[in-house]
Amino acid sequence: MSNTATSELKMKKHSEDGSLKILGIVPSGYCFGLQNLTLDFFARLPPAVTSYFLTTRWTDGEFGRRLDGLRVPYSSTWLGMFSRNLDRRNLKMTVACLLKLPVAWWDFLRLYQFFRPDVIYLANYHEVILLWPLLFWLRQRVVCHMHDPPPAVAFQRVSFFVWRSAVGRFVCVSESVRERLARLGPLSGADAVIHNGVAIRELDLPRRRASHLRERFNWPEGAVIFGITGQVSPAKGHTDFVEAAALAARDNPDLRFVVGGKSNEFLERLKDKVKDLGLNDSFGFCGWLPSASDFYQAIDVLVMPSRQEEGFGLVVAEAGERGIPVIATRTGVAAEVVIDGETGLLVAKQDPAALGSSMALLGNNSHLRNMMGARGRERVCRMFERDKQVEKFFRFLANRDREC
């Protein structure tokens, strides 16, 4: 575990002036919603806060590069993940994590002794499980940010009883997450819900769609573009999106569909399905654009057809901020962001027919799209403005009045 001289000087300076020192444990292999939220919040904490991150060596390097860009010091160790699945891939991952765990514990203790944090922040419960013996022994103030609690089966309830003993306070990204966490065991009054936040920028309404995606795929000016973006996987409902698109396109041949996200094996299978359904002329795959805003500005409707219980679904709030109506599945948290029939439409999970009908409805009615987009923006500006959420997050981390 290496530490730069610059990082050492910075940490020593802050240890002398009494500022809040946060040790963040975020072993992120890739950068998706959870990691982006963490980076966004920590980048905007007050100057009196000093942060240091412990990351994993099992990574594509993007999280570290983002920390470098924010000039936040960090070290890396072998923090992995356990899995109850016994297939070859997950078993290999669990064995590797167990073999490297003593090294991770040693690196964590060295960093703890060196940095002397006021608060240990863990981005999810997996890190609590990995470090539970040390966290329990240190009796330090520990905050766990809950994005996706485990299912409330008997094994997980027993497990929660153990690792919860090392956590002083939970901060949940939605009421839905808090409800799911409470099914595992009792929570305390000190635990809180702090929604994810998005930056609010100026926007003229009714919004005008940017042309770069339409021009890239040579679509007509009058096309209505439905987009899905983020992690590309079966659990995110991409297959349902394609099947719904085929149904909606029968009703309105001017509808177009675009998928944003990093290429992987599943994306290649998705392209085959698009071809099999005869949708090649109506579908575009734009990859991962440099800015999420580039994607939102070039679509008319965002679709989030997730098959799983989403922690928050940041893309929904980001689209709302841009005045874009949303079609989402009822994932629990979706109803906290989307008001059905006012700022967007909610449909059942894994129901391509209902999803396709919703696409057709919005695709055929520009007035309804504009109305829902405007109402969605007003709601996001009022409830999910990033700076307000960061301030709540800071007060939560800095609260020394309650037992943590």
Side-chain angles (χ1 to χ4, degrees):
M1 182 179 65
S2 62
N3 301 292
T4 64
T6 301
S7 299
E8 292 179 8
L9 291 173
K10 182 177 180 181
M11 287 190 293
K12 289 177 181 178
K13 173 184 179 297
H14 283 278
S15 66
E16 293 169 359
D17 65 16
S19 61
L20 183 68
K21 298 168 67 176
I22 305 172
L23 175 58
I25 315 295
V26 189
S28 303
Y30 306 95
C31 274
F32 294 118
L34 181 158
Q35 295 77 23
N36 290 330
L37 167 73
T38 303
L39 291 164
D40 211 27
F41 273 24
F42 272 81
R44 288 163 176 79
L45 290 174
V49 175
T50 251
S51 305
Y52 196 103
F53 276 67
L54 183 62
T55 66
T56 182
R57 291 194 176 105
W58 283 303
T59 175
D60 65 354
E62 178 62 21
F63 192 75
R65 289 190 290 272
R66 297 275 295 277
L67 288 173
D68 287 334
L70 296 173
R71 310 187 88 176
V72 174
Y74 66 95
S75 303
S76 298
T77 188
W78 296 105
L79 285 170
M81 186 181 297
F82 300 147
S83 175
R84 293 184 294 119
N85 296 324
L86 299 179
D87 59 275
R88 183 176 180 180
R89 176 178 175 273
N90 282 291
L91 188 59
K92 182 179 178 180
M93 177 182 67
T94 298
V95 170
C97 179
L98 286 170
L99 291 175
K100 295 288 189 179
L101 194 55
V103 178
W105 284 355
W106 175 248
D107 287 344
F108 168 77
L109 286 175
R110 287 179 60 199
L111 178 56
Y112 178 84
Q113 291 294 327
F114 175 65
F115 185 54
R116 292 291 180 178
D118 300 306
V119 183
I120 297 175
Y121 165 87
L122 300 113
N124 218 322
Y125 69 94
H126 298 290
E127 294 83 87
V128 182
I129 294 173
L130 288 175
L131 298 173
W132 174 79
L134 304 182
L135 297 173
F136 185 83
W137 172 65
L138 289 171
R139 308 306 298 173
Q140 176 59 280
R141 297 173 62 231
V142 175
V143 168
C144 180
H145 208 158
M146 291 301 299
H147 300 254
D148 186 20
V153 297
F155 172 84
Q156 296 291 6
R157 289 197 294 268
V158 172
S159 174
F160 178 77
F161 177 79
V162 175
W163 58 261
R164 198 263 181 269
S165 62
V167 177
R169 303 173 75 190
F170 289 103
V171 55
C172 302
V173 298
S174 66
E175 293 291 348
S176 174
V177 166
R178 194 183 197 285
E179 291 173 5
R180 288 160 55 198
L181 185 63
R183 295 173 196 160
L184 293 171
L187 304 180
S188 77
D191 302 322
V193 172
I194 301 176
H195 289 109
N196 293 352
V198 297
I200 305 300
R201 297 161 294 162
E202 290 188 7
L203 180 68
D204 293 329
L205 293 174
R207 63 183 291 270
R208 295 185 63 183
R209 185 186 68 199
S211 62
H212 54 270
L213 285 182
R214 181 185 65 77
E215 293 174 350
R216 175 175 172 177
F217 299 113
N218 197 29
W219 290 337
E221 177 70 34
V224 180
I225 302 175
F226 292 79
I228 178 174
T229 187
Q231 185 179 357
V232 182
S233 71
K236 294 296 184 178
H238 286 74
T239 302
D240 300 325
F241 178 71
V242 173
E243 293 177 0
L247 297 173
R250 294 176 191 170
D251 178 82
N252 185 345
D254 290 331
L255 304 188
R256 297 293 185 269
F257 313 91
V258 62
V259 176
K262 294 180 179 178
S263 179
N264 56 28
E265 183 179 341
F266 173 70
L267 183 65
E268 297 307 311
R269 297 202 303 270
L270 200 67
K271 290 180 180 178
D272 291 338
K273 187 173 185 65
V274 167
K275 182 179 179 181
D276 292 342
L277 290 172
L279 293 172
N280 274 348
D281 292 339
S282 301
F283 248 87
F285 293 85
C286 66
W288 197 261
L289 300 180
S291 169
S293 182
D294 292 339
F295 184 85
Y296 299 127
Q297 289 173 358
I299 65 174
D300 296 293
V301 181
L302 178 82
V303 182
M304 190 187 78
S306 181
R307 295 180 172 185
Q308 62 187 12
E309 288 296 313
E310 293 287 338
F312 185 78
L314 187 61
V315 295
V316 175
E318 290 175 336
E321 187 275 331
R322 290 289 82 196
I324 299 170
V326 175
I327 302 174
T329 48
R330 298 182 186 277
T331 62
V333 70
E336 295 178 44
V337 184
V338 178
I339 304 300
D340 189 26
E342 293 188 18
T343 70
L345 299 172
L346 299 177
V347 300
K349 297 176 188 174
Q350 293 184 252
D351 189 345
L355 191 61
S357 295
S358 295
M359 287 180 175
L361 175 63
L362 290 185
N364 292 329
N365 194 327
S366 61
H367 174 73
L368 185 60
R369 294 198 302 271
N370 290 334
M371 182 190 70
M372 287 184 169
R375 290 178 177 176
R377 176 173 168 82
E378 186 279 329
R379 179 171 173 78
V380 169
C381 292
R382 176 166 43 88
M383 297 189 62
F384 307 109
E385 197 272 326
R386 183 183 60 194
D387 290 342
K388 293 178 183 177
Q389 303 310 103
V390 170
E391 175 60 26
K392 293 177 184 178
F393 183 66
F394 168 68
R395 292 201 305 268
F396 185 86
L397 292 177
N399 189 346
R400 296 184 175 91
D401 298 329
R402 298 179 181 179
E403 182 180 354
C404 292

